[in-house]
Amino acid sequence: MLLLDHVTLATRDLEGYTEMLERELGIRFEPPTETFPGARGRVARLGQGFLEMMTVEDEERIRSTPLGQAFWSYWNRKEGIFAVALEVRRGMHSFLTQAATRGISFMGPVEQKVPVGSGRFLRFQSAFLGWEMPWLIEYDMPREWSGKWMLDCVEIGVSSLEEEGNRYIQAYNPREVSRVTERTVRMMLDRGSLQLTESPVIGFQAVYVSGEGRRIRIFADEAGWHTETVQSWI
């Protein structure tokens, strides 16, 4: 089982943009924590999935680890979606073994933990294909929250829909794949979806949340983070 779990939004104004999302969506971000050395982040738990907004706090410390270096390089270029995580349920090792039979070799699994406040840590396993594609996570304990919003879809720009689309299918084995337009396909997971569009702009472009009859697109451009209400995925 594969679920759209969370997205990590890179920002230069952590307090300003978390407050903007709280105001516009009626959600609440938890107090900031050091997500890894040199990085500071805040998490908003949705009814299904969560949003993580993160910034650089110490440019020297953050570049001391491969993850920190990758985040710093992205953050130094722009604000945007740094990472997308898909939750694996019913066995990370089994999922990776099946992916290998389709010709996909993930890096991992790796045991990790992150602070969640009050001296507590969240423990999980992770596996990666690279920073440009969604990574996999399996928690030690199931995580469910109450809330009106759900993390619904991630919009991804790819250079070749045929080549990259096939790689996504082999990597994540989506429940259903449908062609939306000549240049766009949607891959349905067990919860949420990935929308791939052939585009000159490559990478994670936007995240959609939905609830109470509303669908909101969250995205960043040169002016910063924005939200817009949309009627459809396209």
Side-chain angles (χ1 to χ4, degrees):
M1 183 175 288
L2 199 59
L3 316 176
L4 183 54
D5 184 65
H6 72 272
V7 297
T8 301
L9 314 177
T11 182
R12 297 189 178 94
D13 183 1
L14 181 63
E15 297 305 317
Y17 285 121
T18 53
E19 289 176 4
M20 181 268 285
L21 290 175
E22 287 180 331
R23 183 175 61 254
E24 298 194 11
L25 300 179
I27 60 177
R28 289 292 176 264
F29 281 85
E30 297 175 357
T33 61
E34 185 178 66
T35 48
F36 49 83
R40 196 160 183 81
R42 299 183 68 186
V43 166
R45 300 178 180 182
L46 309 178
Q48 295 180 9
F50 66 94
L51 296 172
E52 177 183 44
M53 188 162 269
M54 197 160 63
T55 193
V56 171
E57 186 173 50
D58 186 319
E59 293 199 46
E60 183 174 345
R61 290 182 66 225
I62 201 168
R63 287 179 285 174
S64 65
T65 66
L67 174 59
Q69 178 65 47
F71 182 79
W72 177 85
S73 297
Y74 184 96
W75 174 88
N76 202 41
R77 295 195 315 272
K78 64 178 183 177
E79 293 182 292
I81 298 176
F82 169 67
V84 173
L86 308 180
E87 181 188 356
V88 178
R89 290 189 181 176
R90 302 176 186 170
M92 173 74 81
H93 285 278
S94 175
F95 188 95
L96 300 183
T97 299
Q98 291 177 25
T101 67
R102 300 189 295 269
I104 299 295
S105 297
F106 282 87
M107 295 175 285
V110 177
E111 299 284 346
Q112 293 183 267
K113 65 178 183 179
V114 295
V116 292
S118 303
R120 296 176 297 116
F121 289 87
L122 173 66
R123 300 178 186 277
F124 56 89
Q125 295 184 82
S126 59
F128 300 84
L129 277 176
W131 301 115
E132 75 284 357
M133 293 186 72
W135 58 285
L136 305 178
I137 186 168
E138 183 179 38
Y139 298 103
D140 281 2
M141 299 289 290
R143 288 155 49 89
E144 300 291 345
W145 308 288
S146 61
K148 68 178 185 179
W149 293 101
M150 69 169 289
L151 196 61
D152 213 329
C153 179
V154 176
E155 180 183 312
I156 307 167
V158 296
S159 57
S160 168
L161 192 57
E162 181 177 355
E163 293 180 10
E164 294 300 308
N166 184 64
R167 180 168 168 77
Y168 268 76
I169 291 170
Q170 298 306 313
Y172 305 113
N173 193 29
R175 178 168 53 83
E176 179 183 339
V177 179
S178 60
R179 183 171 289 273
V180 181
T181 70
E182 184 179 350
R183 297 172 54 244
T184 299
V185 298
R186 185 171 306 126
M187 300 185 180
M188 300 302 300
L189 309 175
D190 295 289
R191 186 183 74 204
S193 64
L194 304 174
Q195 178 176 291
L196 276 60
T197 299
E198 196 165 271
S199 168
V201 182
I202 307 303
F204 306 127
Q205 300 301 310
V207 57
Y208 295 81
V209 297
S210 62
E212 295 190 341
R214 299 174 62 199
R215 183 174 292 141
I216 306 295
R217 181 176 184 260
I218 304 170
F219 66 99
D221 59 20
E222 293 180 355
W225 284 97
H226 310 273
T227 65
E228 60 181 3
T229 301
V230 295
Q231 300 301 316
S232 67
W233 294 121
I234 302 304

